[in-house]
Amino acid sequence: MPLIKDKTPMPAQDAKARIKNFNEVALGYSEEDALKEAERCIQCKKPGCRQGCPVQVNIPEFIARIKEKDFIGAANSIKEYNNLPAICGRVCPQENQCEKYCVVGKKGDPVAIGRLERFVADYAMANDSAKPQRIPSNGKKVAVVGSGPAGLTCAADLRKMGYEVTVFEALHVPGGVLMYGIPEFRLPKAVVQKEIDTLRDLGVEIKVNSVIGKIETVNQLLEQGYDAVFIGTGAGLPYFMNIPGENYNGVYSANEFLTRVNLMKGYLFPEYATPVKVGRRVAVCGAGNVAMDAARTALRLGAEEVYIVYRRSKAEIPARHEELEHALEEGVQLVLLTSPVEILGNEEGWVTGMKCIRYELGEPDESGRRKPIPVEGSEFVMDVDTVIMAIGQGPNPLVPTTTEGLATTKRGNIVADEETGQTSLEGVFAGGDIVTGAATVILAMGAGKKAAQAIDAYLKQKSNGN
Amino acid sequence: MYQIVRKKVFSPTLKLMDVQAPDVARNVKAGQFVILRMDEMGERIPLTVADYDREAGTITIIFQEVGYSTMALGKLEAGDYLLDFVGPLGEPTDVQNFGKVVCVGGGVGIAPIFPIARALKEAGNEVISIIGARNKDLLFWEEEMRAVSDRLYVATDDGSYGRQGFVTDILKEIIEQEKVDRVWGIGPLVMMRAVSEVTRPSGIKTIVSMNPIMVDGTGMCGACRISVGNETKFACVDGPEFDGHLVDWQLAIRRSQMYKDEEKRAMAKGQCGGGCGCH
Ligand SMILES: Cc1cc2nc3c(=O)[nH]c(=O)nc-3n(C[C@H](O)[C@H](O)[C@H](O)COP(=O)(O)OP(=O)(O)OC[C@H]3O[C@@H](n4cnc5c(N)ncnc54)[C@H](O)[C@@H]3O)c2cc1C
Ligand SMILES: Cc1cc2nc3c(=O)[nH]c(=O)nc-3n(C[C@H](O)[C@H](O)[C@H](O)COP(=O)(O)OP(=O)(O)OC[C@H]3O[C@@H](n4cnc5c(N)ncnc54)[C@H](O)[C@@H]3O)c2cc1C
Ligand code: SF4
Ligand code: FES
């Protein structure tokens, strides 16, 4: 069979049209596209792709099911390893994971594993109405703190093993960053909602409006009858640059900006009561996924010019390729090798501009990336009226600071064993961004999975011991 | 869902509600706040806990109708439900036996000062309270405050009740005449700033409760940032109480104006009911 070098393109909304709406940009494969793309997989005996997947989805197997047109079977195969395939198929950085190790990629494009995953997950959502079987309770209770991908995965796996699971979520909807951070046009909220409904069908109890550390501490949960606790509270603390003018009106953290839009539906203001303000010229500081999301959201809210201001060069941009490409197609402009030093404002405290300095790249530093060095005397002022800080997030301190005996790192992340999620406290496990710092959906899920295994082992051992 | 079990109207724009929220009532302490949302389309509205009943599992809120959301909230009646009610949020008041303390409540700030005055009294302090409002109609909880205070002073801007003048006038007299160990001031930003200015020369530690615009209330968004002693703080998790002598008031006042134009639009929608398509 001749090898097809290029991957099957994914249809997308036209860039001109899509910057006027919040509908999903990438439209997903048709059955025909999926079959065509699946044919490109050569079904390796030792599949590199699977090694590259943090949760080890059996990729050749699910692709084989697609070839047989057994799409539901393909979805079930993925779900053995991954509870949230419709989400991962959309937001995983596949180019650095499974697809990076695909053999076909050596001579052309790798198999579009992510797009195929999304196709089968969407197909199953639309066509598979079978409710999951409810596993009877084994009488043991586990509390999960935080309902991001780490918490949801841990909860689902434990419920499937028979544990009674209660998830506590601080916000009024579960989902973590999937709901409040990643915009609708990249990850429709209905998709996340459906995945969460599946968890509820499994019998997972989700309590929203419950801030652990305030309503109850982790220690209290243990005292009150939970046999174990998993902490997956994420990296929700926005970093600022600590430069002058950062508290002027018109300076947002990406978290605030995105939360106003995604969680509170600010783009439907005043029908929805939460306002969001975006000026004519917007600077977004940073160049990760968060920055791309903020920039593209600003465009959709009507900004005329949107700039990504980044200290390094294009090659170092940490966002997913697809997101960067989409952002550029939509008209987001890159201001590279540049970093803000001061935000300028007027009498009433509104942003009127951003003073920046140029950088050049020096020798590679410890991270292997070339170190950006400021160029003396290169300051200039960007004419902007809105600034969005997307330079990273730290661990949310609410749980670490209220849990007696819980060891944390200097930066405030919870110390947990990489393989088990075990923390310094007996019966308390942790995983996801609160342990690793801001990372990815799939890594958070992987951590939730490993912790579920470890919690099961711990509780079995404990009841044998008694 | 969280039921409103009691409603009391102090004045057309000033209302009290008891809300059934046993999880919040169990652990709440003086100085903390809640965030509520009326319905699917509603804003997350932060309000200080004015009182609580652990046994009945209720939280008392008192609010001033200032914009679209608080006006809509004011239309709800006992028996109605709120969609979301999260708390207790923020750090509780640092309650110790300081000696002699003054609690100043201005306008709707009388509500949050009440549980603080009570807790300070219980901790053995001599509590002097000053409450004030623009006029008599906006004054409430005089008897409640009297019950937890050793002395109570009342002022109204227009002299329609109590002494004519500002709460700060009375505060000034008190600190000139007796030794005060600590002052709490809660009310509108300008009033809290004025309280802090009155006590600044004598260096009496003065605690204010900041009420910046908030979204999540859990330290995730940074909307509530204020500057205290030249450091940026998140009022929802680091506060809401701060040392009034260190707060950057100008910044706080400017930031509270951020959505003025949008609020007008929301209000316009509120007035015509929103379904008319006229906006
Ligand atoms: C805008 C944005 C875009 C991103 N894009 C991508 C992408 O394209 N691909 C990708 O792989 N990754 C992406 N990421 C990163 C990814 O979303 C995170 O790595 C992942 O969500 C981490 O999962 P988590 O479960 O650890 O935490 P989170 O998703 O942060 O969830 C934590 C949850 O815990 C709750 N919580 C916090 N404290 C408490 C408490 N005390 N009590 C109760 N609940 C609490 C929070 O409200 C939240 O719901 C993006 C992140 C952002 C912000
Ligand atoms: C910790 C905290 C505790 C509070 N406690 C009380 C309380 O006990 N009683 C009470 O009446 N009010 C309290 N507030 C203020 C209350 O939250 C606001 O009045 C309310 O959110 C305004 O909403 P709105 O839509 O009706 O008005 P809007 O139309 O949004 O605004 C009207 C005016 O209020 C200001 N404002 C808007 N949002 C806020 C906000 N979140 N906080 C402060 N000012 C705001 C605006 O700048 C404007 O001047 C508290 C605020 C915080 C942060
Ligand atoms: S490495 Fe590529 S070709 Fe091989 S099984 Fe995986 S997806 Fe198919
Ligand atoms: S309200 Fe979001 S950080 Fe305080």
Side-chain angles (χ1 to χ4, degrees):
Chain A
M1 199 185 1
L3 203 66
I4 308 163
K5 280 183 97 177
D6 299 330
K7 60 173 141 184
T8 315
M10 173 135 75
Q13 259 201 85
D14 177 63
K16 280 208 193 71
R18 73 184 186 232
I19 57 167
K20 297 204 171 67
N21 66 54
F22 275 83
N23 300 338
E24 198 168 11
V25 166
L27 299 171
Y29 276 168
S30 64
E31 256 184 66
E32 210 184 3
D33 293 333
L35 289 169
K36 197 165 136 206
E37 186 61 22
E39 279 309 320
R40 296 183 63 230
C41 168
I42 56 173
Q43 295 287 313
C44 305
K45 285 263 138 40
K46 278 195 189 157
C49 57
R50 193 174 180 187
Q51 297 310 314
C53 171
V55 297
Q56 316 252 296
V57 167
N58 192 338
I59 293 166
E61 184 188 89
F62 99 75
I63 298 182
R65 294 285 99 79
I66 298 181
K67 292 188 191 187
E68 295 157 12
K69 293 199 182 175
D70 174 11
F71 304 132
I72 304 258
N76 290 337
S77 163
I78 300 177
K79 281 184 196 160
E80 270 179 51
Y81 303 89
N82 180 339
N83 292 308
L84 311 170
I87 293 165
C88 289
R90 286 174 164 83
V91 303
C92 266
Q94 290 101 4
E95 71 261 23
N96 293 324
Q97 297 174 170
C98 52
E99 293 177 14
K100 184 170 171 182
Y101 302 97
C102 170
V103 225
V104 177
K106 293 204 173 108
K107 293 240 173 76
D109 290 338
V111 175
I113 301 167
R115 294 172 179 184
L116 289 173
E117 179 182 27
R118 169 179 165 165
F119 168 77
V120 295
D122 287 359
Y123 183 93
M125 253 188 202
N127 299 293
D128 186 8
S129 54
K131 287 244 191 280
Q133 217 188 337
R134 258 211 203 188
I135 292 54
S137 160
N138 65 11
K140 290 217 174 345
K141 285 166 62 181
V142 181
V144 170
V145 184
S147 66
L152 291 177
T153 304
C154 185
D157 281 13
L158 285 167
R159 182 74 273 279
K160 285 179 186 162
M161 294 178 216
Y163 294 94
E164 282 174 43
V165 184
T166 308
V167 179
F168 296 90
E169 168 55 49
L171 294 170
H172 56 259
V173 294
V177 170
L178 306 178
M179 286 307 275
Y180 77 72
I182 303 181
E184 178 79 16
F185 57 81
R186 202 147 74 75
L187 181 64
K189 300 306 145 216
V191 170
V192 184
Q193 211 57 62
K194 274 221 172 128
E195 304 265 25
I196 289 167
D197 288 346
T198 314
L199 295 197
R200 289 210 171 96
D201 289 340
L202 281 170
V204 172
E205 187 193 6
I206 304 182
K207 282 192 162 180
V208 294
N209 297 323
S210 305
V211 185
I212 299 302
K214 291 290 173 190
I215 203 162
E216 229 138 26
T217 63
V218 168
N219 309 74
Q220 283 172 329
L221 290 173
L222 287 169
E223 283 157 22
Q224 286 161 14
Y226 286 99
D227 299 289
V229 177
F230 174 77
I231 305 171
T233 48
L237 180 85
Y239 286 146
F240 288 91
M241 302 187 84
N242 296 318
I243 55 175
E246 216 165 3
N247 292 330
Y248 279 132
N249 289 347
V251 184
Y252 281 107
S253 76
N255 272 5
E256 180 188 355
F257 186 67
L258 292 168
T259 300
R260 283 181 179 273
V261 178
N262 297 322
L263 186 70
M264 306 310 295
K265 305 242 185 310
Y267 58 95
L268 297 176
F269 181 86
E271 195 188 334
Y272 279 73
T274 308
V276 59
K277 220 171 170 113
V278 61
R280 291 177 49 223
R281 299 161 68 85
V282 181
V284 179
C285 304
N289 287 321
V290 184
M292 297 302 150
D293 285 345
R296 298 172 68 196
T297 298
L299 271 181
R300 282 163 175 75
L301 291 172
E304 287 162 24
E305 306 274 331
V306 179
Y307 308 98
I308 291 272
V309 181
Y310 182 51
R311 225 153 50 111
R312 301 177 195 253
S313 70
K314 192 168 173 187
E316 284 89 19
I317 286 184
R320 293 180 64 208
H321 291 341
E322 181 175 313
E323 305 314 329
L324 174 62
E325 269 167 39
H326 280 159
L328 294 175
E329 280 167 25
E330 289 168 9
V332 171
Q333 300 169 54
L334 299 179
V335 181
L336 298 166
L337 291 164
T338 299
S339 187
V341 290
E342 182 179 353
I343 293 163
L344 311 172
N346 64 14
E347 291 269 283
E348 285 90 50
W350 282 95
V351 174
T352 54
M354 185 164 85
K355 193 185 210 182
C356 297
I357 187 163
R358 298 273 186 211
Y359 274 74
E360 59 190 16
L361 291 183
E363 295 298 307
D365 61 12
E366 324 74 78
S367 74
R369 295 185 301 180
R370 292 176 63 196
K371 200 178 146 93
I373 305 165
V375 180
E376 227 175 291
S378 66
E379 286 91 348
F380 68 103
V381 173
M382 284 181 74
D383 174 20
V384 295
D385 52 18
T386 305
V387 176
I388 301 173
M389 291 294 172
I391 54 164
Q393 295 105 245
N396 188 306
L398 272 176
V399 168
T401 55
T402 56
T403 311
E404 251 169 77
L406 188 68
T408 54
T409 66
K410 246 195 242 141
R411 303 188 113 201
N413 294 95
I414 296 177
V415 178
D417 184 280
E418 210 180 300
E419 286 310 308
T420 62
Q422 175 68 54
T423 68
S424 60
L425 279 180
E426 196 192 323
V428 179
F429 298 76
D433 283 4
I434 185 71
V435 172
T436 56
T440 60
V441 171
I442 192 72
L443 287 172
M445 289 179 57
K449 259 193 135 47
K450 285 180 187 165
Q453 293 292 340
I455 290 172
D456 179 50
Y458 162 74
L459 291 176
K460 281 198 173 123
Q461 189 197 18
K462 204 169 130 187
S463 50
N464 288 343
N466 289 339
Chain B
M1 298 281 271
Y2 304 81
Q3 193 175 30
I4 300 164
V5 291
R6 181 168 76 108
K7 179 182 179 184
K8 193 169 165 183
V9 178
F10 291 123
S11 85
T13 57
L14 189 66
K15 292 166 187 175
L16 170 152
M17 285 173 181
D18 286 347
V19 180
Q20 193 72 43
D23 284 351
V24 186
R26 200 163 352 113
N27 271 333
V28 67
K29 294 196 180 71
Q32 292 187 295
F33 65 97
V34 296
I35 289 188
L36 63 85
R37 210 167 63 116
M38 274 175 287
D39 54 38
E40 200 38 55
M41 297 191 172
E43 244 176 316
R44 291 172 64 92
I45 310 174
L47 294 171
T48 316
V49 172
D51 202 0
Y52 49 85
D53 183 334
R54 296 203 205 280
E55 256 160 49
T58 55
I59 297 287
T60 304
I61 50 171
I62 295 180
F63 58 93
Q64 180 110 51
E65 296 181 2
V66 291
Y68 174 71
S69 296
T70 40
M71 282 169 96
L73 180 64
K75 292 204 177 81
L76 297 184
E77 298 296 337
D80 288 344
Y81 287 86
L82 301 171
L83 184 56
D84 300 300
F85 197 85
V86 55
L89 297 170
E91 287 294 312
T93 306
D94 172 23
V95 176
Q96 298 174 32
N97 189 345
F98 298 101
K100 190 188 285 186
V101 298
V102 180
C103 293
V104 190
V108 72
I110 300 168
I113 207 80
F114 168 73
I116 295 172
R118 180 172 61 190
L120 287 166
K121 181 82 197 133
E122 279 165 10
N125 292 281
E126 182 185 343
V127 177
I128 304 170
S129 296
I130 309 170
I131 58 174
R134 263 179 314 188
N135 58 53
K136 184 170 184 276
D137 289 342
L138 295 172
L139 198 78
F140 60 97
W141 276 14
E142 183 185 348
E143 284 321 307
E144 280 82 347
M145 282 302 290
R146 198 181 303 282
V148 299
S149 311
D150 291 279
R151 269 183 284 156
L152 177 80
Y153 298 89
V154 181
T156 50
D157 294 5
D158 65 355
S160 53
Y161 190 73
R163 255 184 61 176
Q164 199 238 309
F166 297 128
V167 283
T168 40
D169 300 337
I170 302 176
L171 177 65
K172 208 179 281 168
E173 282 168 24
I174 292 173
I175 62 173
E176 272 162 15
Q177 282 159 19
E178 41 199 309
K179 185 183 164 290
V180 168
D181 297 293
R182 207 172 254 236
V183 172
W184 269 260
I186 308 187
L189 284 172
V190 283
M191 171 252 167
M192 293 195 286
R193 178 175 60 182
V195 167
S196 305
E197 290 316 323
V198 166
T199 56
R200 192 188 296 276
S202 50
I204 303 169
K205 181 129 176 172
T206 300
I207 309 293
V208 295
S209 180
M210 300 303 284
N211 51 5
I213 294 173
M214 293 188 172
V215 184
D216 61 305
T218 66
M220 181 270 279
C221 76
C224 63
R225 57 195 197 276
I226 58 170
S227 176
V228 184
N230 286 324
E231 256 183 81
T232 295
K233 298 275 180 194
F234 290 181
C236 68
V237 286
D238 299 323
E241 292 184 10
F242 293 97
D243 183 336
H245 295 153
L246 299 179
V247 168
D248 181 337
W249 293 101
Q250 190 193 23
L251 178 80
I253 290 168
R254 281 169 171 177
R255 281 188 67 83
S256 75
Q257 303 292 317
M258 175 130 170
Y259 290 102
K260 232 169 45 188
D261 297 345
E262 283 72 15
E263 282 149 17
K264 280 194 202 125
R265 275 171 67 203
M267 289 291 282
K269 166 202 154 191
Q271 261 133 33
C272 68
C276 60
C278 72
H279 50 278

